[in-house]
Each structure stands twice: as C-alpha cells, then as structure tokens.
Amino acid sequence: MLQTTKRPDSPVSIIGAGIAGAWQALLFAQAGHSVTLHERGDAAMTDATSHWAGGMLAPYCEAEVSEPIISRLGLRSLDIWRRELPDTPFNGSLVVAHPRERNDFERFARMTEGHCRLDAAALAQLEPSLEGRFRDALFFPTEGHVEPRRVLPKLHERIVAAGGTIKFDSDVTAADLANLNPKGLVIDCRGLSARDAQPELRGVKGEMILIETDEVQLARPVRLIHPRWPLYVIPREDNLFMLGATSIEAEDTGVSVRSALELLGAAYAVHPAFGEARIVEFGSGLRPAFPDNLPRIAVHDRNIAVNGLYRHGFLIAPALAELTLAYVERGQIDNEVMQCA
C-alpha cells in the first residue's frame, strides 16, 4: 500500500466519482492530501456517464478527429494508467475498412501516427477471428482499453487504500463544501450537472449496445471506418463485446433505431458470426462538452472545475488530474487547459 503523509490543514473535497473525479481523488490522496470524494449516486454508478463509456485509451486514433491537445493529454495518460493500474490491457487497437470506404481508410492513415500497416496474413495472425475479412488494417500497438464498469471500482478501491474517503449518496454543491470548510479546496467534476456554474456545457449522446457470443474472439478494439463515424467493437470479459462510437447532438436518453441498426450492422460487417450474438443491453450516456469540445480546468479561488471531457473521459482524465495537482502544489499552469479567474 502506498504510504502518504496527511495534510489535514488543506482538505480536498471532490464532487463526482466518475472517471474525472476518481482520478483527481486518487492522485491527490497519493500526494498526501486529505481527500473526500462525494458522489450523489450509489456505488453502482449506473447513472454516471462513465457507466456507458467505451473505455478506449487510443490517443493516436483520436487524432483523426481531435485537436492535438487530446493526443498530448492522452499520451501522458497512457503512462499514468500503466503506472497506477499495471494490469490495464495495452494490446493495441485495429482500424479496418471494406473496399467502398477505401478512401476514408487512407485518409485515416494519413491523419494519424503511431501505427503500422498489416496485410491480410499479418492481421489474421494478430486476430485469427478476422482471417479473410479484410485485405489490410492499421495497427496501433501502444494503445489500450479498459472496461469502465470494472475499472472504476478499482480506482475507488485505490483511493481508499491511499487514505481517501468516498461518500456515496452525497448530493452536495461546491457552496455547501465551502461553507463547511472555507480553507478547503473543492474540485467540481460533476459533468453535465455542473451547468448551474458552467451554462455553456452541452450533452453529446453516445450510444452503445452490449452483445454476447463465444464464436468470435478479439484481443483488442476494432474500429470500422463508417461513412458518418467510426464504429468500434470492444472486447469485454465473459464473451461480451461493446458496440459504440456514435456521437449525436442530442440530450435525450436511449438508443435510436437508426443507431441500433448501424451499430449492429457494423458488428456484422466486422464478422458475420456477430449476427447470431445475443443482445444483452442497449444504453446511452450524455458526455459533457464545451462548444469547442475541449477539456477545461477552471480555477476560481479555492474552487476548481474539471469538465468538458467530451468523448475522451477515460483517455485524458489521468493527465487532467496530474495538471490539477501540479497547479495546487506548485502553481504550475497549463495554458492550453487551464483558466484562472
């Protein structure tokens, strides 16, 4: 267990036990701060955006549609994931396409780094289930993936082991905590619930389908180039696969018929055996995003708001927590991410 030196004179209260808040709490607790993590939901976290996330740690792939800052934060986060949770799968990720999407496939290759091109034989050797399915693929060997519903409880356990406290069913505001301890630090990681303080936030719906089959075996996520958005198949434990990657400018919940057809069609296009898979679950989460789709650490006196992680929560949350800690302990400011009032 990591030994820490407590600093009871400077308590840190964090609101929101999703992926952003969990990483903030872990790094601050490990640094010796007296940390309390507040979560308005219960320990199952079924209402959290993190519950519906893909968990892909893919900074190189995301460079195709994201600003360079996402790659920078993502690459740093990979190191933190490896350090803190060394059993995290870093088996790489694959990008494939059918002939009709060939131009988009080549564009993806030009827009990204950190990959090598596999021919059909090399692809079959890497993923035997894909033998004969695609003539080539892009392989990003240093990328990884996590299963959010399994890794979030692990992070919570690590927080407690580092000396932090987690309070579930604790619906508090930054003002509540500031009144309780005026000298304490409050870090707000509430996502969309923080629109009372950051009204420019919007929700971007991400839909997912969970399916089960033992007829396909994959060791890493597979992205299929799609006319509207890349669709991915992510292996989970117990013969489960998550289908996802939709980004819809809407704040309703649930999965639309169109999205379900495209997600299921994409899985079938990756491997026809998915056509016989059992559908386990449909669901969606609302990702918090600012107008520029970039994350923000906003500092105002003893209050810090970490938000706008958009579709990159699991990818960039560790690096954002590291930046917040560096600011609190050393006054270090990352001008690309931080705003100080």
Side-chain angles (χ1 to χ4, degrees):
M1 181 184 298
L2 180 67
Q3 297 298 315
T4 63
T5 301
K6 288 295 179 183
R7 300 175 184 173
D9 58 327
S10 56
V12 178
S13 299
I14 299 166
I15 311 175
I19 193 61
W23 273 107
Q24 297 283 334
L26 178 59
L27 295 196
F28 271 86
Q30 289 180 339
H33 292 268
S34 178
V35 171
T36 302
L37 177 60
H38 297 267
E39 168 58 42
R40 68 177 182 178
D42 59 24
M45 300 290 293
T46 53
D47 293 330
T49 300
S50 299
H51 187 75
W52 306 103
M56 296 177 68
L57 310 179
Y60 291 111
C61 282
E62 288 301 320
E64 188 257 344
V65 293
S66 302
E67 296 292 330
I69 186 176
I70 300 302
S71 297
R72 174 170 71 85
L73 294 172
L75 288 170
R76 176 56 191 152
S77 290
L78 296 191
D79 294 335
I80 303 173
W81 276 105
R82 291 187 180 98
R83 182 188 77 203
E84 300 298 335
L85 292 172
D87 60 343
T88 299
F90 281 94
N91 300 326
S93 54
L94 287 168
V95 176
V96 298
H98 289 297
R100 63 181 178 275
E101 266 72 64
R102 194 68 200 175
N103 289 338
D104 290 334
F105 178 82
E106 295 298 339
R107 178 184 176 278
F108 196 103
R110 292 192 302 271
M111 296 290 290
T112 57
E113 300 176 348
H115 60 75
C116 57
R117 193 178 292 255
L118 305 180
D119 61 17
L123 175 59
Q125 185 175 11
L126 190 69
E127 290 286 8
S129 287
L130 299 184
E131 182 176 6
R133 299 297 305 154
F134 302 95
R135 75 182 195 187
D136 59 0
L138 300 177
F139 178 44
F140 297 79
T142 62
E143 296 187 335
H145 68 287
V146 295
E147 187 169 348
R149 298 179 188 182
R150 293 179 183 269
V151 80
L152 203 55
K154 290 182 181 179
L155 288 172
H156 292 163
E157 290 173 3
R158 293 289 306 279
I159 292 165
V160 175
T165 299
I166 304 178
K167 294 185 177 180
F168 292 102
D169 300 309
S170 178
D171 191 2
V172 296
T173 67
D176 294 334
L177 296 171
N179 289 333
L180 287 173
N181 195 327
K183 293 184 178 180
L185 176 70
V186 177
I187 303 177
D188 188 342
C189 300
R190 290 179 294 152
L192 275 182
S193 297
R195 282 196 286 197
D196 56 344
Q198 296 175 301
E200 65 270 40
L201 283 167
R202 77 186 195 283
V204 180
K205 185 167 71 169
E207 300 164 312
M208 59 81 75
I209 300 177
L210 200 64
I211 61 176
E212 178 186 20
T213 180
D214 60 3
E215 295 186 34
V216 181
Q217 303 294 322
L218 295 175
R220 53 193 53 82
V222 177
R223 294 186 184 226
L224 179 69
I225 299 297
H226 182 275
R228 289 201 295 153
W229 48 57
L231 295 167
Y232 51 68
V233 179
I234 307 176
R236 301 296 197 214
E237 294 186 13
D238 303 322
N239 298 320
L240 295 174
F241 297 85
M242 177 184 171
L243 317 177
T246 60
S247 292
I248 299 174
E249 292 290 338
E251 295 195 10
D252 62 291
T253 58
V255 178
S256 69
V257 171
R258 173 183 292 180
S259 295
L261 290 172
E262 290 185 343
L263 290 170
L264 294 171
Y268 186 82
V270 169
H271 198 292
F274 280 128
E276 302 302 319
R278 182 174 70 92
I279 295 176
V280 176
E281 183 180 5
F282 288 88
S284 66
L286 292 178
R287 303 147 172 167
F290 290 112
D292 59 4
N293 292 335
L294 296 179
R296 185 181 305 167
I297 300 174
V299 181
H300 182 74
D301 296 330
R302 302 295 294 171
N303 292 303
I304 299 177
V306 181
N307 216 319
L309 278 65
Y310 185 40
R311 57 193 297 266
H312 310 116
F314 280 77
L315 174 60
I316 66 175
L320 292 176
E322 188 177 63
L323 291 177
T324 307
L325 181 63
Y327 170 78
V328 171
E329 294 200 328
R330 302 187 298 277
Q332 183 176 322
I333 296 175
D334 187 308
N335 289 322
E336 281 195 283
V337 181
M338 304 188 77
Q339 294 182 353
C340 301

